[in-house]
Amino acid sequence: MAAAADDVPPSPEAIRGRVLMFPLPFQGHLSPMLQLAGALRARAGLVVTVFHAAFDAPDPASRPPEYRFVAVGEGVPSADLLPSGSDGDFVGAVLRINDRLREPFRDRLRQALAESEEDDGGGGGARCLVVDSNLRGMQLVAEELGLPTLVLRTGAAACLVAYLAFPALCDKGLLPPPSHDKSLLDMPLDELPPLRLRDMVFSTTTSHANMTRCLDDLVAGTRSSSGVVFNTFKELEGPDLRKIAGAIGVPVYPIGPLHKISTETSLLAQDRTCLEWLDRQEAASVLYVSFGTLVSIDEAELVETAWGLAGSQVPFLWVVRHDLVRSSSSSSPRHASLLPAGFAEATQGRGMVVPWAPQHEVLGHRAVGGFWTHSGWNSTLESVCEGVPMICRPRFADQMVNMRYVQEVWRVGFELEGGLERGKIEMAVRKLLCGEEGREMRQRAKDLRDKADKCIKDEGSSNSAIEMLLKRILSF
Ligand code: UDP
């Protein structure tokens, strides 16, 4: 099937049915789902209905006109549905979203199925529901109504391999860890190289019972689906993808990097002046610093980070989101005005701070030579795809697993461990941007970038996986 630009609408006669989608309402999950929507539309004339939590509506104005957006759960209490903090309870939020939106979704889905019978008749109506792997509750509703489901995993294959091993580690008495002894937590897991026991403690704010329930649901969801779509590629994670295919017994479709096969973009306003600033910097000289959409730091960490960046003498572009900094004196987030006095003067001309950046373009800019990241999967994959090596500072969820693969398997970055101190930050930044080790990591990252470029070309592995996925969807 020929690929088409996804900003060209399919003609009405080219529409071959509707795919229903339910992303998890967090940016790091919503973006890959919308990127998948863009690819389905461009390659197979499949149009989408996107169900979304009422409290987190994507902006329909910036999306193709034949997309439908359906809010689910108006009036449902939502204050505790978004995790926040340095170690946010992502799992608790996921369980609450499933519990609260499942019933309202049943009505919405029935209605959408009836509508799509009426108006997409020629194209075959609603073919399936693509559901985020964390939304087992919504998948169960689709199963009840007889609609086939596909699961989208927005994380690494490595992370699902770790999740699959979770019950066995519990049976062995290793999870939850019986003590917080450093030597125990540092213990390598023979069944999951290069992970250590500490990498499996996904969050210190999540109860073991909730973690177990969440992972049981997630794995059950993959097994009862008609296939699992991964935002990764075979050349990056081939062995783990094979393990998963053997363990879950349904087809796996590694079609990533999704941001490279679709023009769907960020949902938030981006500060594009930073691209002009980057144009004025030397090649591979700038450190890009961003901790994603959910991680927060405290005031002391902000100050150490600021002076560490200043002291490194390396040019930097730093994303300080409006809610990045937790105040020690109140639970409400504080703004970047907390940057220490004298910091702007000390870094004038050499540093830039923005509230939100066009990250794909920043990482692809020739001036960027390194990325200090929280190791979210989207950020990790985007960095790999642009050949940019990383300083990793994982906090929770799958971020530790991603960091271990970056450091130990692909060897394109290293962890910044322990407390944030300006001296340690300076050394890490100089190691990545100015040292021989950093140069070698950059070279390995560029090799991975070349593989990522190839996999989406005509004969590439991700391109073939998309073809298989489209066949599957059109067979429903
Ligand atoms: N992002 C962005 N601009 C920024 C910071 C982040 O566009 O200034 C995007 C980034 O490109 C990535 C997403 O936000 O696609 C963050 O996802 P990730 O999985 O890395 O982390 P999460 O926010 O889910 O923890």
Side-chain angles (χ1 to χ4, degrees):
M1 251 160 260
D6 60 2
D7 46 1
V8 181
S11 60
E13 57 282 5
I15 292 182
R16 298 166 77 191
R18 185 166 285 276
V19 170
L20 312 182
M21 297 185 145
F22 205 140
L24 196 65
F26 310 145
Q27 160 106 12
H29 291 249
L30 194 47
S31 300
M33 187 69 93
L34 291 176
Q35 288 158 359
L36 174 61
L40 297 183
R41 174 176 179 266
R43 287 169 172 255
L46 289 162
V47 292
V48 296
T49 294
V50 181
F51 296 97
H52 60 88
F55 69 89
D56 192 52
D59 174 12
S62 62
R63 308 291 156 196
E66 73 281 3
Y67 281 26
R68 281 185 203 143
F69 288 87
V70 179
V72 179
E74 279 113 337
V76 161
S78 60
D80 56 352
L81 297 185
L82 273 178
S84 62
S86 60
D87 189 10
D89 185 12
F90 179 87
V91 167
V94 162
L95 292 174
R96 287 188 288 274
I97 288 171
N98 276 289
D99 289 345
R100 287 187 207 158
L101 299 190
R102 184 172 163 173
E103 287 309 315
F105 179 53
R106 185 173 289 108
D107 288 341
R108 291 281 186 252
L109 182 57
R110 272 212 188 95
Q111 208 177 334
L113 290 175
E115 278 170 15
S116 102
E117 278 297 308
E118 277 164 29
D119 66 7
D120 290 333
R127 292 186 178 268
C128 63
L129 176 75
V130 183
V131 68
D132 187 282
S133 62
N134 292 287
L135 293 179
R136 176 68 177 144
M138 314 309 142
Q139 187 188 19
L140 284 168
V141 171
E143 286 173 4
E144 275 170 40
L145 300 187
L147 186 67
T149 63
L150 291 165
V151 162
L152 174 65
R153 272 294 301 154
T154 58
C159 174
L160 185 53
V161 169
Y163 289 167
L164 287 164
F166 189 85
L169 294 170
C170 297
D171 290 347
K172 274 189 178 176
L174 290 171
L175 286 175
S179 88
H180 282 85
D181 251 31
K182 188 173 174 328
S183 58
L184 177 75
L185 291 176
D186 284 343
M187 183 179 86
L189 297 173
D190 296 338
E191 52 279 79
L192 284 177
L195 303 189
R196 307 154 301 177
L197 187 57
R198 66 167 65 254
D199 305 316
M200 297 294 290
V201 182
F202 296 112
S203 162
T204 53
T205 55
T206 299
S207 71
H208 183 67
N210 273 357
M211 191 73 214
T212 306
R213 190 180 142 206
C214 186
L215 294 188
D216 281 353
D217 282 353
L218 190 148
V219 171
T222 61
R223 290 197 166 121
S224 75
S225 73
S226 298
V228 182
V229 180
F230 281 90
N231 188 14
T232 188
F233 55 103
K234 208 165 136 198
E235 289 70 14
L236 188 68
E237 298 203 87
D240 281 336
L241 286 162
R242 280 194 291 280
K243 269 188 214 160
I244 291 167
I248 63 176
V250 299
V252 300
Y253 301 99
I255 66 168
L258 277 165
H259 69 284
K260 291 280 183 188
I261 59 168
S262 168
T263 57
E264 279 287 344
T265 49
S266 172
L267 311 174
L268 305 177
Q270 300 166 335
D271 182 334
R272 302 186 65 81
T273 57
C274 62
L275 296 173
E276 290 156 30
W277 180 81
L278 284 174
D279 287 343
R280 297 195 293 277
Q281 310 303 317
E282 284 178 25
S285 67
V286 175
L287 178 75
Y288 171 57
V289 185
S290 169
F291 305 131
T293 57
L294 298 173
V295 163
S296 64
I297 59 178
D298 64 27
E299 289 171 30
E301 289 175 317
L302 180 85
V303 169
E304 290 305 306
T305 302
W307 288 123
L309 292 173
S312 73
Q313 302 302 324
V314 162
F316 63 87
L317 170 63
W318 182 13
V319 177
V320 180
R321 294 187 331 263
H322 72 280
D323 58 350
L324 175 68
V325 183
R326 286 187 314 283
S327 164
S328 49
S329 52
S330 91
S331 56
S332 58
R334 300 278 294 272
H335 192 251
S337 54
L338 285 181
L339 286 170
F343 171 72
E345 294 74 17
T347 57
Q348 197 165 20
R350 184 167 63 77
M352 186 166 188
V353 177
V354 293
W356 189 251
Q359 183 161 306
H360 303 163
E361 286 160 87
V362 166
L363 287 170
H365 197 287
R366 54 151 196 89
V368 171
F371 181 14
W372 178 1
T373 170
H374 70 304
S375 299
W377 180 243
N378 292 293
S379 294
T380 304
L381 189 63
E382 290 159 16
S383 204
V384 159
C385 290
E386 301 302 343
V388 176
M390 288 162 263
I391 297 172
C392 304
R393 184 140 182 102
R395 309 314 298 156
F396 56 83
D398 59 343
Q399 297 158 12
M400 284 80 72
V401 173
N402 300 335
M403 175 279 290
R404 289 297 285 173
Y405 273 67
V406 164
Q407 180 173 281
E408 304 293 326
V409 179
W410 307 313
R411 297 167 59 225
V412 293
F414 58 90
E415 184 180 15
L416 176 56
E417 279 179 83
L420 272 187
E421 291 157 21
R422 62 192 75 184
K424 269 171 46 184
I425 295 171
E426 275 177 41
M427 275 168 48
V429 173
R430 296 194 63 77
K431 174 172 159 180
L432 190 71
L433 271 293
C434 314
E436 179 55 21
E437 268 183 279
R439 201 194 56 74
E440 288 169 10
M441 288 175 198
R442 191 164 303 108
Q443 189 47 55
R444 285 192 283 270
K446 286 191 190 314
D447 294 344
L448 285 180
R449 175 197 60 192
D450 294 345
K451 289 182 179 159
D453 284 346
K454 272 202 195 126
C455 77
I456 52 174
K457 299 254 160 67
D458 274 355
E459 301 300 313
S461 61
S462 294
N463 199 51
S464 313
I466 296 175
E467 296 293 322
M468 306 281 286
L469 174 66
L470 294 176
K471 272 199 195 122
R472 184 80 172 141
I473 293 176
L474 293 172
S475 77
F476 291 137

